[in-house]
Each structure stands twice: as structure tokens, then as C-alpha cells.
Amino acid sequence: MPEAKNQDAIALLKQDHRTVEELFAQFEKASGEGRKERLAREICLELSVHSAIEEEIFYPACEGKVDDELLKESYVEHDAAKLLIAEISAAEGESDEFFDSKVKVLQEEIEHHVQEEERRETGLFSQARKAELDMDALGERLAARKQELTERFKTEGLPKPQLTTMADVSV
Ligand SMILES: [Fe+2]
Ligand SMILES: [Fe+2]
């Protein structure tokens, strides 16, 4: 479905959250390896684009204007999700007995993260709104970058995870 034009930043990001929640719900109900794998791939694509545009555009705009601890936790939560996303993207459903569990744990992590962003009053988005960021201008940049990255990831595949907060451990 094409994005509505001229969405403000928070509307766009919340719409992404709803899209991915719907995909997780479909995954839970899905049967058949092929269908599950397709849905998992879609979830990974959506989340990869979403976390990239937040980290490139939205989070930096929040810097100095929202609770610093909350913002830092957001980056760490993204990194934790990127590891599972990389794992899920690499897995073949039939040969990984933990495939469904990985998707489930990713879903739980994302639910928590979305809550931290959307919580009323104290969530990241509420704080950003109170700080009077230019949500229309940010929305335009997010939408443009989202389109660009979605096309790139669809043709080239998901990139190797770029971790923002974790450098000391390799597995
Ligand atoms: Fe988000
Ligand atoms: Fe996020």
C-alpha cells in the first residue's frame, strides 16, 4: 500500500509499527513453511527499513531534546533486534527448529520497543512532540529515505547488520 502523502514523522513511524504488528499477527496464524518464511522475510524487511530511518533521521533529531537514557536504550533495543533479524533472514524455516521461536522473541522485543516509543506522556514520540520538532519536514525526509531503502533492500537483500551500540563482542 503506498504511503499517504505528507505524513508527519510520528504518523509515519506509527503506521510502520501497525504494519509490522499486523505481519506478526499473520505469522502467528500462518501455517506452512513457505508462507511463514515469506511473512518472516517481510517482517525483517519492514523492521530493517524502519530502524534505519529512525536511526538516520528521527533519533538524531531527538538528540538533546528528549530523555537521553531513553534515546540510548532505543539504539540498544534496535541493535538487539538487528541480531535476531539477521539470524531469521539467514535461516531456512524447515531446517531451523528455532525459527518460529526466533520470530516470536523478535515480536516480543519489538512490542516492548514500540511501547517505549509510543507510551503516552513519557514515550519517545510524546517527548519529541513536546520538544516541537518539525514533524512535517522530518516526515518528508523519512518517507523519501524509506522508499529508497525499501527498493534497495528488495533488490540487493538486507545488508549485514550495522550495530550502533555494540562493538566489543563478536559471535
Ligand atoms: Fe519505531
Ligand atoms: Fe525504534
Side-chain angles (χ1 to χ4, degrees):
M1 208 169 60
E3 295 295 341
K5 282 237 177 322
N6 304 325
Q7 259 183 329
D8 103 350
I10 290 176
L12 181 148
L13 295 173
K14 280 184 168 176
Q15 186 177 305
D16 279 359
H17 294 167
R18 302 294 84 78
T19 299
V20 108
E21 281 165 4
E22 174 56 29
L23 289 168
F24 276 123
Q26 285 180 27
F27 184 92
E28 278 185 317
K29 284 182 280 178
S31 56
E33 297 301 340
R35 168 129 180 89
K36 282 189 166 182
E37 271 187 57
R38 262 197 312 281
L39 283 164
R41 265 203 301 276
E42 233 182 298
I43 288 168
C44 290
L45 173 71
E46 287 287 336
L47 286 175
S48 299
V49 173
H50 181 79
S51 61
I53 63 175
E54 282 187 338
E55 288 190 31
E56 284 179 22
I57 298 165
F58 190 75
Y59 289 178
C62 290
E63 217 134 309
K65 305 209 158 72
V66 302
D67 177 40
D68 192 46
E69 289 305 311
L70 184 64
L71 191 56
K72 282 184 180 160
E73 284 170 28
S74 300
Y75 283 109
V76 176
E77 287 172 1
H78 276 199
D79 277 357
K82 284 175 208 168
L83 295 174
L84 266 179
I85 289 167
E87 182 66 22
I88 290 164
S89 310
E92 295 294 325
E94 312 96 77
S95 59
D96 182 358
E97 61 170 313
F98 295 108
F99 186 76
D100 286 13
S101 315
K102 287 170 184 168
V103 175
K104 182 72 197 167
V105 172
L106 179 63
Q107 178 180 12
E108 288 166 355
E109 285 185 5
I110 296 300
E111 275 168 9
H112 167 80
H113 180 69
V114 162
Q115 243 180 13
E116 302 262 289
E117 290 187 338
E118 293 195 21
R119 196 171 348 116
R120 290 177 67 171
E121 300 295 326
T122 54
L124 190 71
F125 292 174
S126 273
Q127 292 190 31
R129 183 76 81 194
K130 279 184 208 140
E132 297 186 345
L133 300 182
D134 185 345
M135 295 300 176
D136 291 330
L138 283 172
E140 243 175 77
R141 289 175 58 202
L142 288 166
R145 186 67 175 144
K146 179 179 172 180
Q147 196 181 357
E148 190 181 5
L149 285 179
T150 302
E151 280 163 21
R152 183 185 306 170
F153 293 174
K154 271 186 181 164
T155 47
E156 295 173 14
L158 298 183
K160 202 175 164 313
Q162 304 287 322
L163 300 180
T164 310
T165 67
M166 300 176 188
D168 296 336
V169 177
S170 68
V171 287

